[in-house]
Amino acid sequence: MRPSRRTVLTATAALGAAGAAAGTAEAASQPEAGRPPATAQRPTRELRALLREIDTDRIERTVRKLVSFGTRHTLSSQDDPARGIGAARDWLLSELRTYAAASGGRMTVELQSYVQEPAPRIPAPTRITNVVATLRGSVTPDRVHVVAGHYDSRVTDVMDATSDAPGADDDASGVAVVLELARVMARRRPASTIVFAAVAGEEQGLYGSGHMAQQLKAAGADVQGMFTNDIVGSSTADDGTRDPYTIRLFAEGVPSSETGEQAAIRRSVGGENDSATRQLARFVRDVADNDATGMHVRVIYRRDRYRRGGDHIPFLERGYPAARFTEPAEDFAHQHQDVRVDDTGKQYGDLPEFCDFGFIARVARVNAATLWTLSQAPGTPRDAKIVTSTLTNSTELVWSRGTEPDLAGYEVVWRETTAPEWTHVIPVGDATTHEVDLSKDNVFFGVRAVNRAGLRSPVAFPDPA
């Protein structure tokens, strides 16, 4: 039964009360403080089984193996079999090929290389090589999701290519997450395509990820989400406090790729908190902040930390939704530091003894829950609009129907303009239009797709039409 404006407004006024407005199937109340958002999705049995396969010991072995190459500086040796970035590259390629062998041909592995001409932090032409595994989707292979970590490392002097630069936390930890996801998922059949990437050149200026993002853009790839895992190795802050069950997720509001026309629309509707990346971050909270991962996802409304940047940024600059996972509170004595002990006995350097491998495994589970659900769920609805041809106190939304063979229908979601999470869900069936007896001037609306298994897509924020 479609609610009247009175029932919808009553439900709005009663936010925090238990249950929905009486007699309506369409308005759900806001969860109480500490409860999951109204859009949260419980982990399926299939997902729980996948998460149980993530192996802490394997993650530790990956971190220690990468550290064993001495330095992985972008300007270090590319042909020494035991030391330098070339040795790390070759080992990563071999590992991913081993995983691909168990995929039944669904996973392919390649070296994605180019020569970077002299540029800031690149004094001479230098080959930059990403190691990339692609697990092709079985239903909607053109829909792509990317997960990455950077395998290069550095010490205090960013141009020092010879000193030991263990890079355990920054960023062997992120690469270990990527490899473990590739291993676990290689034997499965995701509906859409997942790309697992160990990228190079991050410390010198995001060169590897910039090349990968540009290659995808030039190919017209439909990248619906990208995540970088960068500094995800420790739960201990510089003052010794620990937060082993929280991971930060940095997600920009105003898009880096925004055009002048898009900016005008955003300003007119107040959409600063509703970029595609913010919807992606909400989706991560919906599917990965739960007992199956054992983690709380702390979304930070910011592209990255102060004076810092990561491999998600080239994707953002090309219009792709992208976000960064980083540990809850960094210890700067163990990143970008020469390995040394000062006169007080304090150890500096990014060494594996300062990593928390159980924490890295839980971060991997957050990534796995996110990527697997994104892959198995329908894609984000396209062409979502709010009809503004006539001004009324009701709101009509329209969108294009997706092409997924298991698509079951859609849901309209809404929230107060001051609410950070979606608080109300309205099932609307297999339709491409729906009218809500509530003014578009007072709340924010969105649309998400649902498949027959009950999995939901990220929310599409509608533009005015």
Side-chain angles (χ1 to χ4, degrees):
M1 180 175 73
R2 187 186 301 277
S4 68
R5 186 175 303 117
R6 182 180 299 277
T7 61
V8 175
L9 293 177
T10 298
T12 306
L15 290 178
T24 76
E26 297 194 5
S29 67
Q30 178 181 358
E32 297 174 8
R35 300 277 184 88
T39 48
Q41 303 185 53
R42 293 299 302 162
T44 63
R45 182 179 301 177
E46 176 188 46
L47 176 57
R48 288 182 184 274
L50 184 155
L51 299 183
R52 285 194 294 270
E53 293 183 23
I54 290 174
D55 189 331
T56 303
D57 291 339
R58 284 180 175 272
I59 286 172
E60 179 174 356
R61 287 198 294 271
T62 296
V63 171
R64 293 188 182 277
K65 181 64 176 180
L66 289 169
V67 169
S68 75
F69 296 115
T71 180
R72 306 187 305 277
H73 194 282
T74 298
L75 305 179
S76 64
S77 173
Q78 299 207 20
D79 52 17
D80 187 318
R83 181 179 176 87
I85 196 165
R89 172 202 64 213
D90 294 344
W91 180 79
L92 289 167
L93 178 65
S94 175
E95 282 295 291
L96 287 171
R97 281 178 171 168
T98 299
Y99 306 155
S103 73
R106 294 183 301 278
M107 178 180 281
T108 56
V109 182
E110 64 176 325
L111 295 178
Q112 185 185 78
S113 296
Y114 80 106
V115 174
Q116 175 60 52
E117 295 301 323
R121 299 185 178 184
I122 303 288
T126 300
R127 181 165 295 279
I128 307 288
T129 302
N130 302 323
V131 189
V132 181
T134 301
L135 182 59
R136 184 172 173 81
S138 59
V139 180
T140 53
D142 292 340
R143 185 158 54 93
V144 178
H145 300 96
V146 180
V147 61
H150 71 86
Y151 72 99
D152 59 309
S153 63
R154 60 165 285 191
V155 291
T156 306
D157 179 0
V158 72
M159 301 304 292
D160 181 351
T162 58
S163 297
D164 281 351
D169 192 1
D170 185 13
D171 184 37
S173 65
V175 175
V177 167
V178 172
L179 260 63
E180 187 64 0
L181 296 181
R183 183 187 73 84
V184 169
M185 292 186 184
R187 300 187 299 274
R188 290 176 162 82
R189 293 180 177 273
S192 65
T193 296
I194 305 175
V195 176
F196 309 87
V199 299
E202 192 271 352
E203 301 290 8
Q204 306 308 110
L206 311 180
Y207 289 108
S209 59
H211 178 70
M212 180 168 65
Q214 184 55 40
Q215 293 293 103
L216 288 164
K217 191 70 175 180
D222 181 18
V223 178
Q224 295 203 0
M226 183 273 180
F227 299 95
T228 184
N229 287 266
D230 195 350
I231 312 179
V232 295
S234 175
S235 58
T236 304
D238 52 4
D239 63 358
T241 58
R242 297 185 69 243
D243 187 359
Y245 301 104
T246 298
I247 185 69
R248 288 186 292 175
L249 180 62
F250 287 85
E252 73 173 12
V254 176
S256 296
S257 62
E258 186 178 70
T259 66
E261 181 181 3
Q262 291 167 337
I265 294 172
R266 171 182 53 78
R267 288 191 295 266
S268 73
V269 301
E272 290 76 14
N273 195 22
D274 282 283
S275 65
T277 294
R278 287 280 164 86
Q279 308 304 345
L280 189 64
R282 291 186 178 106
F283 181 90
V284 176
R285 289 259 295 123
D286 283 346
V287 303
D289 188 319
N290 52 46
D291 67 300
T293 66
M295 292 291 276
H296 167 59
V297 180
R298 182 183 180 185
V299 178
I300 308 293
Y301 288 170
R302 183 168 284 137
R303 186 171 77 166
D304 211 316
R305 302 143 303 152
Y306 276 91
R307 299 176 60 192
R308 311 289 287 278
D311 289 314
H312 59 308
I313 292 177
F315 285 80
L316 291 169
E317 291 172 341
R318 289 160 178 82
Y320 294 132
R324 174 191 180 124
F325 286 111
T326 295
E327 62 199 29
E330 298 166 74
D331 185 342
F332 301 103
H334 304 307
Q335 54 179 265
H336 296 188
Q337 293 281 352
D338 294 338
V339 179
R340 67 193 190 280
V341 178
D342 70 10
D343 54 11
T344 70
K346 181 179 176 63
Q347 176 73 63
Y348 286 81
D350 191 354
L351 298 162
E353 52 259 44
F354 298 108
C355 286
D356 176 343
F357 298 107
F359 175 79
I360 302 173
R362 288 191 294 278
V363 173
R365 291 186 185 101
V366 168
N367 279 261
T370 300
L371 288 162
W372 188 252
T373 310
L374 280 169
S375 170
Q376 301 300 82
T380 304
R382 298 187 183 277
D383 307 317
K385 305 286 185 184
I386 286 182
V387 176
T388 60
S389 54
T390 59
L391 297 179
T392 73
N393 283 316
S394 295
T395 300
E396 183 182 0
L397 295 106
V398 298
W399 57 91
S400 296
R401 191 182 190 282
T403 59
E404 295 87 353
D406 62 344
L407 183 66
Y410 292 87
E411 294 173 339
V412 169
V413 299
W414 61 275
R415 70 182 199 273
E416 292 289 330
T417 62
T418 53
E421 306 278 359
W422 298 108
T423 55
H424 295 73
V425 179
I426 305 173
V428 302
D430 192 358
T432 56
T433 181
H434 187 76
E435 185 173 346
V436 182
D437 200 4
L438 185 63
S439 174
K440 54 190 164 291
D441 298 326
N442 296 341
V443 301
F444 288 133
F445 288 97
V447 181
R448 66 177 182 173
V450 186
N451 68 12
R452 288 196 291 270
L455 297 176
R456 273 79 173 169
S457 74
V459 170
F461 186 69
D463 287 334

